[in-house]
Amino acid sequence: MTLSSAAGDASVSHQRGRTISLPDESRNVFITYSTDISSEMVPFSDFLTKKGFRPAIDIFDNPIRRLDINKWKDGYLKDPSTMIIIAISPKYKADIEGSVVDSHALHTKYIHSMMQNEFIQQGSLNFRFIPLLFLNASQKHVPSWLQNTRVYRWPRDTEDVLLRLLKEERYIPPPVPPELTLVIRPVTLTATL
């Protein structure tokens, strides 16, 4: 899959003969993670940027935004057009379930709580959270409320993650004709039983 972005225009993806237009407001991606995979976030963010998305991670933001980190995070979390990637690692599970030991873990726990509340308010339907397993993470590290959601593994599921961010399906369904023709034929009963 290739994704290119033109200045001021929507991103366009060409995959197997189809074109996907991505509105500008749909290119924002917020990434929540724990410190054990901090080194993975720069390359991952660069990857998303090259594909036409605007990833947001608190370590990339300028000092002015750091002054009010909760307001910054709430801006992304409350914007329904922003997709949220949950970079899952063994420490992520510990941060959201255990005692908070550092400020980043506190931020991670806060973001997790906000996401879980949204999930519950949406009737336990997942519209924008993308659980993505990094490094040594497995299904057991996925938060319980996301266990019934498709979980991706980085970098194995790169194409599927991009399709999810584009809100597209992997396969194009066959076209349905505008008018269906229904033919009713009488069935004749035979005397043989």
Side-chain angles (χ1 to χ4, degrees), residues 5-190:
S5 84
D9 293 338
S11 295
V12 177
S13 171
H14 303 281
Q15 181 197 22
R16 296 184 187 108
R18 65 178 162 165
T19 301
I20 302 166
S21 295
L22 187 64
D24 186 59
E25 64 274 3
S26 295
R27 291 192 278 163
N28 294 328
V29 178
F30 182 79
I31 305 167
T32 179
Y33 65 99
S34 288
T35 56
D36 61 336
I37 57 171
S38 294
S39 63
E40 298 288 319
M41 291 301 103
V42 172
F44 180 63
S45 179
D46 289 345
F47 166 78
L48 291 176
T49 300
K50 288 175 186 171
K51 296 299 182 183
F53 295 97
R54 289 187 300 266
I57 304 174
D58 55 4
I59 64 171
F60 293 123
D61 255 34
N62 61 42
I64 296 170
R65 284 192 173 166
R66 282 195 188 125
L67 294 175
D68 191 356
I69 193 84
N70 290 335
K71 184 176 181 182
W72 176 80
K73 287 184 295 197
D74 287 347
Y76 288 106
L77 293 170
K78 291 182 179 173
D79 179 1
S81 67
T82 300
M83 297 297 284
I84 299 175
I85 293 177
I86 305 161
I88 297 173
S89 64
K91 188 170 181 340
Y92 183 84
K93 177 86 166 176
D95 285 349
I96 64 171
E97 291 182 353
S99 300
V100 177
V101 293
D102 61 31
S103 64
H104 194 276
L106 181 62
H107 294 312
T108 301
K109 193 168 192 162
Y110 171 79
I111 293 166
H112 175 264
S113 175
M114 297 262 312
M115 292 185 303
Q116 187 176 22
N117 287 338
E118 178 180 325
F119 180 78
I120 292 167
Q121 289 172 357
Q122 295 290 337
S124 297
L125 297 174
N126 181 10
F127 295 109
R128 64 187 189 125
F129 304 123
I130 303 171
L132 187 58
L133 300 175
F134 277 80
L135 298 175
N136 297 322
S138 65
Q139 188 73 29
K140 71 179 183 181
H141 297 109
V142 177
S144 60
W145 58 275
L146 283 172
Q147 287 289 329
N148 291 330
T149 293
R150 165 86 194 268
V151 177
Y152 302 89
R153 177 166 292 283
W154 182 257
R156 184 188 71 195
D157 298 328
T158 302
E159 186 175 333
D160 290 337
V161 169
L162 288 173
L163 286 170
R164 178 71 172 96
L165 287 169
L166 291 166
K167 300 174 185 163
E168 286 289 324
E169 296 295 327
R170 175 177 281 284
Y171 302 103
I172 302 170
V176 177
E179 293 182 22
L180 294 176
T181 304
L182 181 63
V183 177
I184 302 173
R185 294 187 180 137
V187 178
T188 58
L189 297 175
T190 60

